[in-house]
């Protein structure tokens, strides 16, 4: 893909732009009536992810509705634990539920070896989406961070505090590190295949970074994210693919994020005092409107959006996004309003 055609790729190269590129985390999802219409045909969400034609249709829905500057692969981060044999199911009202979560350290040793070909349905979705997108709209591939995947795999479901997980990692340190390094290898092989299939950019979601205090964050999460990024940067297939890191409410300073080998840092919505001067010229920045603002009046949406746009005006490499995913209660009209607002600023 030619960078000069895409605002998004230009921003990832840290160019100063008059209008920032726009895309939204969870831009394809339950807030869209078009999505719900397709979703109702599948009982288990993961079955829908295993259908590449449907994934293609879903990934294109927000592009068609809002003319966004980037598409994201329609899939889920839990495809890797599913491929490892942990039996992932999405239960209505509960979210992900694992049939065979990691309960003991020997469960880690007995895991299936990750075979990237088990996720061929994902790469097929990538190439379908890529072939259906307009030439100038890049496609983002993604994975969960090793830590976030480990947290779901050990907890066996979603949770507010992941208590089982935080206890497990304390009493099974070595095995946890072994598991994290295996997940890092799996993420590498998985992302490499997504890029081979046509992904132009990669985003790593560390959605449960917030569970770890600073030293643990480094030890159990950031260290593995950095190895993953370095492996991608060293592989000829992925060496030129820009990498975005989203870390949810991480207990670390600005420098720690900027000093990773990521090309772009996606800011969580509460990171208002992130030192953007320190980032200047070193990484691109993506974010970070609080998704909850989209539930408020148009005046309030405008006020909060302008605060962000004012602070990133002339920043070298700025991508407009939310500070976390769009929630199902958001009205698509507000997403349209927001998108126009940013373009007309
Ligand atoms: O029933 C439904 O319709 C399922 C809703 C849904 C959707 C639309 C889930 C279940 N996953 C997805 C798609 C998805 N997930 C995408 C592609 C769509 C897009 O962005 O446009 C992506 C990138 C993800 C990534 C993902 N899945 C993350 C990381 C992003 C984040 O929000 O922090 C996480 C944590 C998941 C796990 C997940 N998937 C779905 C649920 C209900 C959950 C659990 C969330 C939790 O633990 O609170």
């Amino acid at each position: 893909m030619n960078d000069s055609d895409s605002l998004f790729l230009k921003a990832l190269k840290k160019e100063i732009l008059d209008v920032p590129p726009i895309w939204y985390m969870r831009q394809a999802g339950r807030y869209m009536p078009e999505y719900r219409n397709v979703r109702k045909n599948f009982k288990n969400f993961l079955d829908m992810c295993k259908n590449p034609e449907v994934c293609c249709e879903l990934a294109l829905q927000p592009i068609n509705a809002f003319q966004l500057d980037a598409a994201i692969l329609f899939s889920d981060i839990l495809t890797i634990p599913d491929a490892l044999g942990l039996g992932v199911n999405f239960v209505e009202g509960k979210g992900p539920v694992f049939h065979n979560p990691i309960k003991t350290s020997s469960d880690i040793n007995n895991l299936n070896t990750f075979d990237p070909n088990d996720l061929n349905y994902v790469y097929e979705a990538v190439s379908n989406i890529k072939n259906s997108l307009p030439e100038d709209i890049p496609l983002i591939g993604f994975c969960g961070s090793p830590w976030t995947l480990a947290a779901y795999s050990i907890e066996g479901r979603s949770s507010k505090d992941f208590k089982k997980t935080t206890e497990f990692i304390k009493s099974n340190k070595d095995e946890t590190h072994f598991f994290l390094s295996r997940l890092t290898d799996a993420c590498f092989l998985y992302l490499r295949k997504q890029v081979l299939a046509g992904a132009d950019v990669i985003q790593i979601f560390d959605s449960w970074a917030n569970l770890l205090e600073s030293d643990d964050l480094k030890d159990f999460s950031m260290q593995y994210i950095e190895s993953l990024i370095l492996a991608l940067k060293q592989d000829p297939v992925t060496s030129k693919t820009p990498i975005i890191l989203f870390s949810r409410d991480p207990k670390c300073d600005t420098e720690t994020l900027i000093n990773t080998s990521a090309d772009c840092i996606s800011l969580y919505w509460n990171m208002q005092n992130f030192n953007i001067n320190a980032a200047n010229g070193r990484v691109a920045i993506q974010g970070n409107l609080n998704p909850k603002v989209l539930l408020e009046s148009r005046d309030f949406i405008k006020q909060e959006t302008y605060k962000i746009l004012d602070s990133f005006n002339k920043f070298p490499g700025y991508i407009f996004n939310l500070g976390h995913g769009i929630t199902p209660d958001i009205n698509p009209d507000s997403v349209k309003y927001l998108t126009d607002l940013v373009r007309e600023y």
Side-chain angles (χ1 to χ4, degrees):
M1 181 163 203
N2 195 343
D3 289 4
S4 61
D5 297 337
S6 156
L7 274 184
F8 182 55
L9 295 181
K10 283 185 186 173
L12 286 166
K13 288 229 156 123
K14 304 193 275 280
E15 282 187 33
I16 298 173
L17 301 168
D18 291 333
V19 180
I22 310 171
W23 74 280
Y24 302 113
M25 286 190 265
R26 291 280 176 106
Q27 61 193 23
R30 283 168 291 181
Y31 78 102
M32 289 186 94
E34 306 90 301
Y35 173 88
R36 294 195 299 270
N37 203 28
V38 175
R39 175 72 178 90
K40 67 176 194 284
N41 302 320
F42 296 85
K43 192 159 177 284
N44 184 358
F45 170 73
L46 215 48
D47 289 339
M48 190 166 79
C49 295
K50 290 178 184 175
N51 185 320
E53 285 76 35
V54 170
C55 291
C56 179
E57 181 185 347
L58 295 174
L60 290 170
Q61 285 177 348
I63 305 301
N64 294 331
F66 312 113
Q67 289 74 51
L68 301 170
D69 296 293
I72 182 161
L73 161 67
F74 192 89
S75 189
D76 198 79
I77 61 167
L78 300 179
T79 51
I80 288 181
D82 188 56
L84 289 173
L86 301 181
V88 181
N89 232 298
F90 281 83
V91 179
E92 182 71 51
K94 266 196 182 169
V97 176
F98 287 56
H99 280 294
N100 316 305
I102 303 293
K103 290 203 180 82
T104 62
S105 55
S106 58
D107 290 342
I108 291 174
N109 296 316
N110 295 334
L111 274 177
N112 294 347
T113 309
F114 177 71
D115 178 354
N117 295 324
D118 286 342
L119 296 176
N120 279 341
Y121 64 88
V122 176
Y123 322 129
E124 217 177 297
V126 169
S127 65
N128 285 353
I129 300 166
K130 191 63 197 164
N131 291 332
S132 311
L133 275 174
E135 279 268 10
D136 56 346
I137 304 296
L139 175 60
I140 305 165
F142 69 88
C143 72
S145 72
W147 161 250
T148 292
L149 298 181
Y152 280 112
S153 304
I154 296 165
E155 200 71 22
R157 48 174 297 152
S158 188
S159 151
K160 270 214 171 68
D161 53 9
F162 281 73
K163 199 154 174 273
K164 213 189 276 180
T165 305
T166 45
E167 279 164 12
F168 182 94
I169 66 170
K170 270 192 209 124
S171 37
N172 300 278
K173 250 192 161 159
D174 292 349
E175 293 82 356
T176 301
H177 281 293
F178 176 66
F179 187 31
L180 288 165
S181 60
R182 291 194 52 188
L183 287 167
T184 305
D185 296 343
C187 290
F188 166 71
L189 296 171
Y190 184 47
L191 292 173
R192 187 178 180 280
K193 286 227 165 205
Q194 290 185 32
V195 171
L196 278 173
D200 302 293
V201 171
I202 287 167
Q203 179 151 326
I204 301 168
F205 286 94
D206 198 5
S207 300
W208 292 104
N210 60 317
L211 298 173
L212 299 167
E213 292 308 321
S214 63
D215 286 349
D216 282 349
L217 177 66
K218 200 167 157 220
D219 203 25
F220 290 106
S221 187
M222 297 298 279
Q223 150 182 204
Y224 293 97
I225 291 173
E226 183 63 10
S227 322
L228 171 59
I229 299 176
L230 289 178
L232 292 164
K233 293 289 178 199
Q234 279 153 23
D235 190 286
V237 171
T238 47
S239 62
K240 296 212 160 62
T241 309
I243 301 174
I244 306 171
L245 171 61
F246 168 76
S247 191
R248 171 172 167 188
D249 195 13
K251 310 289 183 288
C252 66
D253 55 22
T254 302
E255 287 293 319
T256 307
L257 292 169
I258 295 171
N259 286 338
T260 64
S261 299
D263 301 282
C264 175
I265 300 297
S266 189
L267 301 179
Y268 188 62
W269 59 263
N270 72 354
M271 293 165 81
Q272 272 127 6
N273 42 19
F274 182 91
N275 182 357
I276 62 167
N277 293 328
N280 197 317
R282 292 167 68 193
V283 284
I285 296 287
Q286 175 173 281
N288 70 335
L289 186 72
N290 186 342
K292 284 207 165 70
V293 169
L294 286 172
L295 299 170
E296 304 296 331
S297 70
R298 295 202 160 183
D299 281 350
F300 189 68
I301 296 175
K302 185 168 182 174
Q303 177 194 313
E304 295 303 299
T305 302
Y306 273 36
K307 273 189 208 161
I308 292 175
L309 294 175
D310 287 345
S311 69
F312 285 103
N313 195 13
K314 303 273 182 308
F315 183 84
Y318 174 62
I319 298 154
F320 187 80
N321 204 316
L322 303 177
H324 204 182
I326 301 184
T327 48
D329 50 359
I330 288 171
N331 186 329
D333 291 343
S334 300
V335 176
K336 166 92 174 71
Y337 173 73
L338 174 65
T339 309
D340 291 343
L341 201 63
V342 175
R343 291 200 170 126
E344 287 157 12
Y345 168 75

